[in-house]
Amino acid sequence: MLQCFNKIAKSSLTPTFKKLLSMYKIVERGTPNTLDYRLFYTRDGVPVSAFHDIPLYSDDSKKVVNMVVEIPRWTNAKMEICKEEPLNPIKQDVKKGKLRFVNNVFPYHGYMWNYGALPQTWEDPSHVDKNTTAKGDNDPIDAIEIGSKIASRGELKKVKVLGVLAMVDEGETDWKVVTIDVDDPLANKVNDIPDIEREMPGILAATRDWFRIYKVPTGKPMNDFGFKGEWQSREFALNIIHETHEFWNNLMKSKDSVKGISTKNTSQANTPGLISAEDAAQAVAKHPEPSSEGPPIAISVHDQAFVQRTTCEPVAPKSA
């Protein structure tokens, strides 16, 4: 039997997340703050893939989507869905054999929103986007959630899509979808980019600034953006999500493997990657037993870094 760990206090959960939580449970393996730490999911006791088995859309309107929270707001550990490993657990990114933490680039501390990915989407590395003239980055599409509550690592959120930023990271298209939890107090007041500017002035400009500079302290260049750095509308974002969902569908149906992608899943009928519940349980059991105690995070993770800005763009296109 796999041991399930519910790390989220039920008393603090919103009604919609309670419904998701009744379906999906978090399974923790390995030791926190080490290379072997993993977060898996199960549904009805069967291990599932965070990438392939959790549905993208939350309702028939296809305007509310599910978000896998990889990184809670104000934290630094670069957690992500591991697309290479079977069942795609959440793990911490590794650079040069060490766990990766993002720098605190003044005036920010860690990630300034809840950060994660939209399941069942894929930025196809063979597709050159007409807007950015760059190929996809071979990952699920990224999402930020700007609501008032700090999420928990691994939390599944139902979110309203509000817009998107066309980031180009080292020559690859890396869309950043801005969303808000459907149960957030502001959710009924924000539906598109202008609404965010009205209700949360400054957050879109700060978000773009963060994405431009966050890698600079590690020796990387500033990131670029399509559309001169202007945030695109909700309608545009929904079209990008639909497009990347179709790329994911093609990925799952293909008999040809894609480098760096495991398509193993337990729910997608008639796909080459479909595996049995028993095989899925064995894939999880190969990882070390969970441990509640791990080594402390280095104090240096909280150091500040400073970057000279060189560019300033308008937040959104001017209305006609």
Side-chain angles (χ1 to χ4, degrees), residues 269-289:
N270 303 316
T271 61
L274 183 67
I275 61 175
S276 67
E278 292 76 15
D279 287 344
Q282 289 178 9
V284 176
K286 289 179 180 179
H287 294 267
E289 288 291 329

Side-chain angles (χ1 to χ4, degrees), residues 19 45 74 131 178 181 265:
K19 294 178 182 178
W74 308 137
N131 303 291
V178 59
D181 189 318
N265 69 87

